[in-house]
């Protein structure tokens, strides 16, 4: 086992990376190795799919499988080795079916059948022991002794970005949004990795291509969310419980939440969101359900405490899952790509067991004191007051904006983001998105000219909205986005954040401050390349970073 794909990776005197029998995220050695093998199998599908597309051959089942398989290997998603074994077997079938279709297409053209190499030619064993015996050849650092750590790190950057892209594309697909151009792009990138690239510039170019693909994917997901649930609007959300039976929904998947709301309508069960499901309360079609009563708890890393204290059933729809504690293990259910050995996993929106559990559990005995926060400042809400914002900036009432967002985590260094936002001057505004918002979304920052100083734009994938707002403001000010009075202070944790970061770089954004630590797979040489090209900076101290940002803005 070796894994360094997330921010919580082990840091030792021997270097960075989880290389013991259990990673810091909780996955064991077998699961980690099976994830690597699944990625290897997916690369093989992508090789065949890429060849097939040039012949007019495609397979929607293979496209969808790639998304879910890649999503399943993200940090804190699926810890169940039995499910990975089944997915590897499914990958073998899909790959061979695609091969047969490609051979038929080449034969029809009178061409010779392709000769497959690499993952496409891998003879996938059926027995788990035989699979695991081959894990080393599929490991993320395979070949490092030949090509060096810089190349391996760049391959990892492309792969981990692709994992995030596939996760967002999966969410979009669940909302009925798909794109053959996106799927072809994902498959080309995986095919590129399957051929073990060793050229620095080619790898950097592909990383930016992955970022461009992700922009299209976030646009798809935005269309899926707004098309299904309406345009987000500023909304007050209760963050204290009310009396009654209860189900808590965590993860990211709005489609699952919508189905659960339908299935629980009129049954006397209150539904609460948790973590990255908070933005659900800003969508008109979701907040119209009277039994969607509020948000409970904080970000994903608080779940062991939040879930233990929640007196109802729990549904985990996607990342991020932590090993369930004994106080709630019997009342938490998983669905979609997420899983943990021994937990009840529900397919095809068959949520009856969750509902039954909620009815059997006590729920909240009484209403707590009402507390609320305001969310829902998506691009339409922000752009609706664009003239006011522009006038405030021109008059000096608003000196600067900070976008402080991304993934949260348990590391103590993440208090930086709370301190940073608390110390922002009163003539500045703060935009936020992702679960990093829980570090400061209950702070009372006041307003400027009737506009709240803290504007919550939604989930991590709502970076698309932030990009659209920045682009619109740049047009209004007749300048580039990099010349706006706007600074990005980003928190990363896992591979969705890697995908968003690559998107920002692909758009040419510079001067991003990234923390709380830099990715372990980015070597000093690669980091310097990114610094030279994009002026990426590691975070320092809140006081120092604020002073530097505002001084630069004043020059």
């Amino acid at each position: 086992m070796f894994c360094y794909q997330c921010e919580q990776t082990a840091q030792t005197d021997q270097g960075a990376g989880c290389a013991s029998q259990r990673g810091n995220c909780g996955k064991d050695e077998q699961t980690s190795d099976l994830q690597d093998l699944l990625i290897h199998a997916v690369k093989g599908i992508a090789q065949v799919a890429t060849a097939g597309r040039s012949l007019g051959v495609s397979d929607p089942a293979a496209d969808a499988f790639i998304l879910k398989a890649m999503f399943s290997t993200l940090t804190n998603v699926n810890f169940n080795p039995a499910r990975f074994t089944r997915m590897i077997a499914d990958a073998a079938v899909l790959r061979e079916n695609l091969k047969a279709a490609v051979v038929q297409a080449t034969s029809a053209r009178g061409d010779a059948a392709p000769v497959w190499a690499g993952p496409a030619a891998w003879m996938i064993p059926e027995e788990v022991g035989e699979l695991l015996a081959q894990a080393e050849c599929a490991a993320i650092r395979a070949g490092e002794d030949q090509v060096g750590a810089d190349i391996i790190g760049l391959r990892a950057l492309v792969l981990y970005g692709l994992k995030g892209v596939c996760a967002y594309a999966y969410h979009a697909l669940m909302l009925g949004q798909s794109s053959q151009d996106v799927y072809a792009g994902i498959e080309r990138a995986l095919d590129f990795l399957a051929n073990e690239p060793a050229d620095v510039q080619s790898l950097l170019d592909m990383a930016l291509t992955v970022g461009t693909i992700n922009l299209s994917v976030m646009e798809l997901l935005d269309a899926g969310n707004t098309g299904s649930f309406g345009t987000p609007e500023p909304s007050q959300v209760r963050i204290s419980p009310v009396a009654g039976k209860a189900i808590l929904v965590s993860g990211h998947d709005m489609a699952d939440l919508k189905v659960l709301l339908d299935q629980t309508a009129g049954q006397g069960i209150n539904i609460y969101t948790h973590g990255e499901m908070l933005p659900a309360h800003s969508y008109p079609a979701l907040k119209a359900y009277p039994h969607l009563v509020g948000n409970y708890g904080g970000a994903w890393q608080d779940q062991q405490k939040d879930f233990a204290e929640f007196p109802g059933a729990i549904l985990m729809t996607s990342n991020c899952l932590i090993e369930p504690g004994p106080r709630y293990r019997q009342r938490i259910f998983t669905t979609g790509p997420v899983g943990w050995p021994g937990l009840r996993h529900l397919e095809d929106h068959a949520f009856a067991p969750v509902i039954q559990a909620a009815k059997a559990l006590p729920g909240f005995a009484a209403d707590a004191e009402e507390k609320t926060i305001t969310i829902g400042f998506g691009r339409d809400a922000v752009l609706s007051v664009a003239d006011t914002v522009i006038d405030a900036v021109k008059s000096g009432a608003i000196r600067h904006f900070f976008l402080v967002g991304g993934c949260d985590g348990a590391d103590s260094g993440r208090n930086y983001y709370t301190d940073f936002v608390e110390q922002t001057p009163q003539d500045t505004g703060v935009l936020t998105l992702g679960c990093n918002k829980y570090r400061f979304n209950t702070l009372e920052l006041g307003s400027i000219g009737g506009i709240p100083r803290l504007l919550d734009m939604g989930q991590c994938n709502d970076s698309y909205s932030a990009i659209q707002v920045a682009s619109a403001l740049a047009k209004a000010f007749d300048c580039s986005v990099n010349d706006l009075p706007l600074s990005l202070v980003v928190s990363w944790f896992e591979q969705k954040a890697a995908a968003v970061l690559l998107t920002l770089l692909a758009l040419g954004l510079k001067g991003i401050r990234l923390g709380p630590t830099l990715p372990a797979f980015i070597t000093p040489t690669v980091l310097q390349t990114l610094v030279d090209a994009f002026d990426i900076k590691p975070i320092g101290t809140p006081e120092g970073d604020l002073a530097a940002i505002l001084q630069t803005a004043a020059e």
Side-chain angles (χ1 to χ4, degrees):
M1 170 183 177
F2 180 83
C3 182
Y4 59 177
Q5 70 176 1
C6 76
E7 195 270 334
Q8 67 186 344
T9 193
Q11 303 284 343
T12 68
D13 293 339
Q14 288 72 45
C18 294
S20 62
Q21 293 183 342
R22 183 181 173 92
N24 284 350
C25 68
K27 68 180 175 184
D28 60 28
E29 183 177 12
Q30 182 184 32
T31 302
S32 180
D33 288 347
L34 288 170
Q35 288 182 355
D36 289 343
L37 289 160
L38 177 60
I39 294 297
H40 197 63
V42 166
K43 289 177 184 176
I45 296 174
Q47 286 179 278
V48 181
T50 299
R53 286 185 185 277
S54 67
L55 300 165
V57 173
S58 63
D59 182 357
D63 296 338
F65 177 85
I66 288 173
L67 304 184
K68 189 171 184 179
M70 291 282 280
F71 193 172
S72 297
T73 69
L74 261 70
T75 302
N76 293 110
V77 175
N78 193 343
F79 300 81
N80 191 330
R83 295 213 355 232
F84 284 108
T85 302
R86 290 195 296 272
M87 279 191 281
I88 292 170
D90 291 342
V93 173
L94 286 166
R95 188 193 66 185
E96 294 309 304
N97 288 344
L98 261 175
K99 280 184 181 179
V102 170
V103 168
Q104 184 177 15
T106 54
S107 176
R109 292 171 51 161
D111 296 334
V115 177
W116 307 109
W122 178 35
M123 301 296 292
I124 301 177
E126 295 182 2
E127 201 274 324
V128 176
E130 293 180 19
L131 267 175
L132 292 171
Q134 300 184 37
E136 188 173 345
C137 73
I140 188 65
R141 294 196 301 181
E144 185 176 42
D145 53 341
Q146 283 86 39
V147 299
D150 294 338
I151 294 300
I152 295 298
L154 283 168
R155 290 178 187 173
L157 177 61
V158 173
L159 176 63
Y160 298 155
L162 276 171
K163 287 188 178 189
V165 171
C166 289
Y168 287 139
Y170 174 85
H171 287 310
L173 183 60
M174 294 303 99
L175 292 166
Q177 297 291 318
S178 61
S179 165
Q180 287 302 308
D181 288 341
V182 163
Y183 299 158
I186 290 170
E187 289 158 7
R188 282 194 300 270
L190 286 166
D191 176 47
F192 172 80
L193 290 176
N195 288 292
E196 300 179 349
D199 177 71
V200 170
Q201 191 58 53
S202 295
L203 282 158
L204 286 170
D205 290 345
M206 181 54 75
L208 297 181
T209 296
V210 168
T212 301
I213 296 169
N214 191 56
L215 180 63
S216 296
V217 170
M218 289 194 296
E219 184 178 11
L220 283 177
L221 183 50
D222 179 80
N225 281 327
T226 57
S228 299
F229 313 123
T231 301
E233 54 192 27
S235 306
Q236 291 283 316
V237 182
R238 184 175 178 126
I239 57 172
S240 54
V242 297
K245 304 288 186 178
I247 294 174
L248 185 63
V249 183
S250 192
H252 294 72
D253 202 302
M254 298 295 180
D256 287 336
L257 174 63
K258 171 65 165 60
V259 174
L260 182 66
L261 287 167
D262 286 334
Q263 293 183 11
T264 52
Q267 298 208 43
I269 299 173
N270 293 324
I271 307 298
Y272 295 81
T273 55
H274 178 269
E276 279 274 71
M277 297 301 293
L278 169 62
H281 297 271
S282 67
Y283 287 101
L286 295 177
K287 70 178 186 177
Y289 288 87
H291 59 302
L292 181 62
V293 296
N295 191 74
Y296 181 90
W300 68 271
Q301 75 273 7
D302 299 328
Q303 69 187 252
Q304 289 177 322
K305 176 180 180 293
D306 292 342
F307 292 0
E309 295 176 352
F310 187 78
I314 303 156
L315 179 65
M316 178 63 72
T317 66
S318 62
N319 59 319
C320 300
L321 176 66
I322 302 176
E323 180 174 8
R327 290 177 58 189
Y328 62 89
R329 184 180 289 266
Q330 299 305 312
R331 51 188 176 87
I332 182 172
F333 302 80
T334 62
T335 191
V338 71
W340 189 279
L343 295 189
R344 285 169 287 182
H345 186 74
L346 309 177
E347 296 283 2
D348 302 320
H349 293 142
F351 296 144
V354 186
I355 298 168
Q356 293 167 2
K359 290 179 177 179
L361 290 162
F364 290 100
D367 291 356
E369 178 185 355
E370 184 173 5
K371 297 178 182 179
T372 63
I373 57 174
T374 304
I375 66 167
F377 294 96
R379 68 177 181 280
D380 288 331
V382 174
L383 292 178
S384 70
V385 293
D387 290 343
T388 303
V389 171
I390 292 167
D391 290 343
V393 171
K394 289 181 176 179
S395 70
I398 297 178
R399 181 174 23 153
H400 204 78
F401 281 102
F402 302 95
L403 193 156
V404 186
C407 304
D408 201 10
D411 190 274
S412 58
R414 292 177 181 271
N415 292 334
Y416 165 95
Y417 297 95
T418 309
D419 296 340
F420 185 97
V421 171
E422 282 185 321
Q423 294 176 35
T424 53
Q426 289 297 308
D427 60 352
T428 63
V430 178
L431 306 172
T432 188
L433 44 79
C435 57
N436 179 256
K437 68 169 69 77
Y438 283 101
R439 291 278 166 179
F440 46 80
N441 69 344
T442 57
L443 297 178
E444 294 290 344
L445 298 185
S447 61
I448 301 174
I451 300 172
R453 286 190 57 227
L454 178 61
L455 302 175
D456 182 351
M457 302 191 74
Q459 290 184 313
C460 51
N461 58 274
D462 288 310
S463 301
Y464 178 76
S465 274
I467 290 167
Q468 298 306 308
V469 168
S471 298
L473 291 176
K475 183 177 180 180
F477 281 106
D478 193 23
C479 67
S480 73
V481 172
N482 286 318
D483 292 327
L484 286 172
L486 170 69
S487 298
L488 277 64
V489 184
V490 177
S491 169
W492 89 283
F493 180 78
E494 42 85 289
Q495 298 75 58
K496 286 181 175 178
V500 172
L501 177 62
L502 291 178
T503 297
L504 297 176
L505 298 183
L507 290 169
L509 271 70
K510 296 185 177 182
I512 298 169
R513 282 175 162 78
L514 182 65
T517 60
L518 296 178
F521 51 87
I522 298 297
T523 64
T525 301
V526 173
L527 175 61
Q528 190 58 51
T529 301
L530 296 176
V531 169
D532 292 343
F534 301 104
D535 194 26
I536 287 181
K537 301 175 174 69
I539 61 170
T541 65
E543 300 84 359
D545 289 347
L546 271 169
I549 289 169
L550 293 174
Q551 180 178 347
T552 299
E555 293 175 352

